[in-house]
Amino acid sequence: MVAKDRLQFLDALRGLAAVYVVLFHVQSMPAPALPVAAAWLPAVQMGATGVALFFVISAFSLCYTMPRHHASGRPLLSFYLHRFLRIAPLFYVLLMFSLFRDGRGDHPGHSWGEIAANLSFTFNLFPGWEQGIVWASWAVGVEMLFYAIFPALYLLVGKPRSAWLLMVGLQVLVVLAWLGWLGPRMAASLSDYGWLRHAPVFAMGLVAFHAFGALSRLPAQRARQWAHGLNLLGVLLLLLAASAIWWPAAGPWQWQLSGMAYLCLLLGFSQCPPGWLVNRWTAWLGTVSYSLYLGHPIVIAVLGPVFARVLEVQGGTLGYLLCASITLLVVLPLAALGHRFVEAPMIRLGKRLLSPAMPLHTAAANGQRDGGAR
């Protein structure tokens, strides 16, 4: 079945993930980091796992919209063109800005090889370049590598059992690599930018897609019962993941636990969304989430002197909250502009380029608001 409509809960989760990452970076990017009360610090630092939520959502939504690409008659062209025009234009705009920024003053700039790796979205494959030239773009590099293999992966795990086996198998690899039984190379793949750290989280999104289909086929009351349980389990797993700040050897487990928590919350929200978290406002945040994610580190860096002034007047957690509020007040309008003038025109271009090859009913469906992955 071709997906036609946006899923509001998915947009809302995407927007909340972006805001959570912003809140984390407001605290952690400045040097020194902004002061936060010890009781609240784990919750703030868990904002880094907002990227794990992005990955779960990405795998889910790619599965959800893949039938639309198959219906186009040219599934691979439709998929890859859509993905490229969705991700690349804004990234290239910020890449040009970053090259200008880093080519001035005492910064040595970037080699042509590194620039080529960023232009081709392969920078995660090169040691030392994984973070990307654009600040926080490491996640974009990971996403693009996942996009590269997704059509084949979609065929391989088209059944729920296959998705579950993939997720469990990858988790077994994580355990073995963490224990050191697979050698130093595999152990290194559990690092911040390593493939084995993130592959299981994408697999969780594949499982979530199949589980969503199963939940949607249940009677409404039964589905809501499952949703309440899944929401509770998701919150408990997030609390457990947050406690990893005190573990003597957390390894990759905070990331994996967070992924499982977000899998549960995605499914719970799909059937029983809390109105204070899933609404028109948070759904709008999801619409601008890509611009919000890529643009916020620059805004935080520019606001550094403002943060210093704020902390002179009001320190501690309240000072951090004031800095976070200022950041959001600046970055959200900029994200809206980035979406309107860069992202949205490129999405429309992709639809126009593909429409001549599409059956009429598919082109009409694609003319609606895009419900695909960000």
Side-chain angles (χ1 to χ4, degrees):
M1 180 179 179
V2 176
K4 296 182 179 181
D5 301 314
R6 298 190 73 93
L7 299 174
Q8 188 186 49
F9 77 91
L10 209 62
D11 273 338
L13 284 171
R14 189 182 288 117
L16 293 170
V19 170
Y20 204 10
V21 173
V22 173
L23 296 178
F24 165 68
H25 280 149
V26 168
Q27 190 270 333
S28 63
M29 273 188 62
L34 300 192
V36 175
W40 293 103
L41 188 60
V44 174
Q45 293 189 339
M46 276 289 290
T49 69
V51 176
L53 177 53
F54 276 133
F55 291 166
V56 173
I57 292 171
S58 178
F60 176 97
S61 54
L62 290 184
C63 290
Y64 182 73
T65 56
M66 197 63 186
R68 178 181 302 167
H69 299 297
H70 280 290
S72 73
R74 297 183 179 182
L76 291 180
L77 175 62
S78 176
F79 175 80
Y80 286 119
L81 183 62
H82 179 88
R83 288 294 87 210
F84 182 81
L85 290 177
R86 182 66 189 84
I87 300 299
L90 181 66
F91 178 83
Y92 287 158
V93 169
L94 290 176
L95 178 61
M96 288 187 291
F97 168 81
S98 301
L99 291 172
F100 172 76
R101 175 199 65 208
D102 295 346
R104 307 174 69 201
D106 295 331
H107 195 286
H110 302 276
S111 68
W112 286 109
E114 186 179 6
I115 294 171
N118 277 260
L119 288 170
S120 61
F121 295 100
T122 59
F123 53 90
N124 278 97
L125 301 176
F126 297 93
W129 294 349
E130 300 98 333
Q131 293 187 52
I133 294 174
V134 178
W135 290 345
S137 65
W138 71 268
V140 177
V142 172
E143 283 267 13
M144 291 297 271
L145 294 177
F146 177 67
Y147 295 161
I149 65 171
F150 177 78
L153 194 61
Y154 181 77
L155 295 176
L156 293 173
V157 295
K159 301 294 183 182
R161 182 180 179 183
S162 301
W164 277 98
L165 286 174
L166 176 65
M167 185 184 76
V168 172
L170 287 169
Q171 289 293 349
V172 170
L173 282 179
V174 170
V175 172
L176 296 178
W178 181 62
L179 292 173
W181 294 359
L182 301 180
R185 191 168 185 176
M186 286 294 283
S189 68
L190 294 174
S191 64
D192 288 347
Y193 311 114
W195 72 269
L196 189 53
R197 178 183 178 89
H198 303 297
V201 178
F202 282 108
M204 293 171 196
L206 303 178
V207 168
F209 170 73
H210 290 292
F212 169 74
L215 279 175
S216 299
R217 291 189 293 270
L218 292 176
Q221 184 177 358
R222 184 78 182 279
R224 284 195 296 270
Q225 291 173 346
W226 272 100
H228 287 308
L230 287 164
N231 283 337
L232 177 60
L233 180 58
V235 170
L236 293 175
L237 286 172
L238 278 182
L239 291 173
L240 181 60
S243 72
I245 190 174
W246 296 298
W247 297 0
W253 301 116
Q254 183 181 59
W255 197 256
Q256 304 305 316
L257 285 169
S258 298
M260 290 300 299
Y262 293 135
L263 184 162
C264 293
L265 290 174
L266 185 154
L267 292 173
F269 281 27
S270 74
Q271 306 301 317
C272 192
W276 62 285
L277 290 176
V278 179
N279 49 60
R280 292 176 62 185
W281 164 244
T282 55
W284 176 81
L285 288 175
T287 302
V288 303
S289 59
Y290 182 47
S291 288
L292 177 59
Y293 177 80
L294 273 190
H296 80 273
I298 299 171
V299 171
I300 291 173
V302 171
L303 289 177
V306 178
F307 290 176
R309 282 292 191 90
V310 169
L311 294 175
E312 288 176 2
V313 177
Q314 177 64 61
T317 303
L318 182 56
Y320 158 73
L321 291 174
L322 289 171
C323 293
S325 300
I326 293 169
T327 302
L328 290 173
L329 286 173
V330 174
V331 77
L332 286 175
L334 293 175
L337 291 173
H339 178 265
R340 180 174 181 179
F341 293 107
V342 181
E343 296 180 63
M346 292 297 101
I347 293 172
R348 291 194 295 268
L349 174 62
K351 292 175 181 177
R352 287 199 298 270
L353 290 174
L354 288 170
S355 58
M358 289 184 179
L360 182 60
H361 71 278
T362 305
N366 282 357
Q368 301 179 25
R369 292 182 66 193
D370 185 7
R374 290 295 184 205

